[in-house]
Amino acid sequence: MKIRIHNKLYDLTNFEHPGGSVIKTHAWDENTKIDATNAFFSFHMRSKRALFLLTTLPHTIINEERNAVERDFEYLNRDLIKDGFYKPSYLHVVQRIGVNTGLWIIAGFLLNSKFFITSFLLMAVNYVQCGWIQHECGHKSFTGNIPLDNFLQMVYLNIFMGGNYRFWNDQHFSHHANTQNIIHDKDLKTHPLVAFNSKLIEKKNHTFFTKHQHLLYWTVINPMVWFVWSFMSYPMFAYKKKHLIEYLTTKTISLAMYCWFFGLSGYTMGESIILFHIVSVLGTTILLATFTVSHTTTDAYTDNNGWVIPSSEHTINIYDHWLTNWWMGYLNFQIEHHLFPTMPQFRQNRVGKHYVSKFFEKHNMKYNEKSFIEANYDVYKNLKAVAKSNLKIKN
């Protein structure tokens, strides 16, 4: 197998990619002629190890012209690096962590004051904010320091959220490498609970859940996904990938921390564990519903078409607004996030407005933007359309 980076074809025959087989979807051949330059640097620009490993691989020179969109995007990215958009802001980091910590304290005070519903809703929302922080740490764009971001991701996802950051990275990086690719994007491997595209129904048929997904998605399906992840996927992945001790250790710390937190308001250990899972399922349900607006209403595809095009054709932005920005952890700028995954996310609204939208216009590419309400309504319409599609197969 070979990949193209700039004007060189690198031979990966004897190379085992640390990120797994996802690299194969960007392989070069005479039919697809995929240019993997931007994919490589978008993932690995902060990794000195990856840049060094590239220099050790055998390669040959290729004289074939690069795709104009991929070539011009590389120039754009260089300008953004030069203009400082990739520099982390430690003031922003302190602000995000401070607000998150403050909301936990307020939620604890409300719980101790017997404002149960308000407290649990606030904890669920703050659980979501933990999800946004761990997500940015996973992309190494929070502090820009890879070891520190790795540590913070483990703290926020494994301990504050009771999850498994290694499982999340495996799923999420596959999504970024192949956004809306129905074969390789693991975010689309949701059958039998939900199907975001009729191609999945054509391949696997309807289930009870997919037939009624537009009615069940927010209230039944998302909590079921939480259950599968929490009690099956996380521990099974840890066992399979040989980090079970790490996972069990962080899980124990997580439960101990929440027992202490709820114990301050007089709850027993058993009650505290139940309350943590209530917060976890509510928070995960909100997270999944929020993630859904960014991609699932766009078409799926099978053939890789580079790095830039998927972010144009298969990604949607939600309009810039301070409340939306906070609620979505700045992931409402999904086009920019997919183009520049290691860029601090709070900078991406300016990048979209002053750079990316103009770049898309130059190359006759559509820049998809919607309101938060419109995007959620489109999710409902898409779920309903897929639910009603191809029903003759089983009826």
Side-chain angles (χ1 to χ4, degrees), residues 154-171:
M154 183 179 66
V155 168
Y156 274 92
L157 183 50
N158 285 42
I159 296 177
F160 279 95
M161 301 178 71
N164 183 337
Y165 81 100
R166 295 183 188 272
F167 171 84
W168 183 91
N169 287 343
D170 178 78
Q171 296 284 121

Side-chain angles (χ1 to χ4, degrees), residues 234-244:
Y234 292 158
M236 288 174 63
F237 187 85
Y239 175 78
K240 180 180 177 181
K241 297 297 183 179
K242 296 180 173 53
H243 62 270
L244 186 59

Side-chain angles (χ1 to χ4, degrees), residues 330 333 336-337 340 343-352:
Y330 301 93
F333 311 110
E336 288 70 34
H337 174 58
F340 317 104
M343 177 186 292
Q345 291 165 194
F346 77 98
R347 301 189 192 279
Q348 291 175 348
N349 57 340
R350 286 189 294 148
V351 171

Side-chain angles (χ1 to χ4, degrees), residues 209-225:
F209 296 105
T210 60
K211 284 183 180 181
H212 304 90
Q213 60 185 14
H214 57 299
L215 302 175
L216 301 176
Y217 180 69
W218 291 272
T219 56
V220 176
I221 293 174
N222 280 346
M224 290 181 69
V225 172

Side-chain angles (χ1 to χ4, degrees), residues 131-142:
W132 303 145
I133 292 176
Q134 78 80 22
H135 171 275
E136 189 153 6
C137 290
H139 282 286
K140 315 300 180 279
S141 60
F142 194 52

Side-chain angles (χ1 to χ4, degrees), residues 370-389:
K370 297 179 181 179
S371 71
F372 184 74
I373 294 175
E374 180 186 6
N376 277 278
Y377 182 55
D378 285 348
V379 169
Y380 169 78
K381 290 192 296 183
N382 179 62
L383 287 171
K384 184 176 181 180
V386 175
K388 301 302 180 182
S389 69

Side-chain angles (χ1 to χ4, degrees), residues 255-394:
L255 292 175
M257 182 191 72
Y258 277 100
C259 285
W260 169 81
F261 179 79
F262 288 114
L264 293 176
S265 297
Y267 292 96
T268 65
M269 179 184 296
E271 291 170 335
S272 297
I273 292 174
I274 292 172
L275 292 176
F276 160 68
H277 285 104
I278 291 174
V279 171
S280 179
V281 70
L282 287 174
T284 302
T285 299
I286 297 171
L287 268 171
L288 291 172
T290 306
F291 267 126
T292 307
V293 304
S294 301
H295 304 286
T296 60
T297 57
T298 65
D299 290 334
Y301 63 96
T302 56
D303 296 326
N304 191 305
N305 50 10
W307 179 255
V308 180
I309 296 299
S311 294
S312 166
E313 297 181 353
H314 308 290
T315 307
I316 294 170
N317 275 12
I318 308 301
Y319 292 135
D320 186 5
H321 186 275
W322 68 268
L323 182 58
T324 309
N325 299 351
W326 174 78
W327 178 260
M328 297 187 69
Y330 301 93
L331 282 172
N332 44 321
F333 311 110
Q334 276 285 319
I335 295 174
E336 288 70 34
H337 174 58
H338 272 254
L339 290 172
F340 317 104
T342 58
M343 177 186 292
Q345 291 165 194
F346 77 98
R347 301 189 192 279
Q348 291 175 348
N349 57 340
R350 286 189 294 148
V351 171
K353 182 178 180 180
H354 299 294
Y355 294 84
V356 177
S357 59
K358 296 177 182 178
F359 176 87
F360 277 26
E361 183 178 359
K362 174 185 174 182
H363 289 279
N364 297 314
M365 298 160 61
K366 186 176 181 181
Y367 191 76
N368 294 304
E369 286 186 292
K370 297 179 181 179
S371 71
F372 184 74
I373 294 175
E374 180 186 6
N376 277 278
Y377 182 55
D378 285 348
V379 169
Y380 169 78
K381 290 192 296 183
N382 179 62
L383 287 171
K384 184 176 181 180
V386 175
K388 301 302 180 182
S389 69
N390 221 13
L391 286 178
K392 291 182 180 179
I393 288 178
K394 286 202 168 184

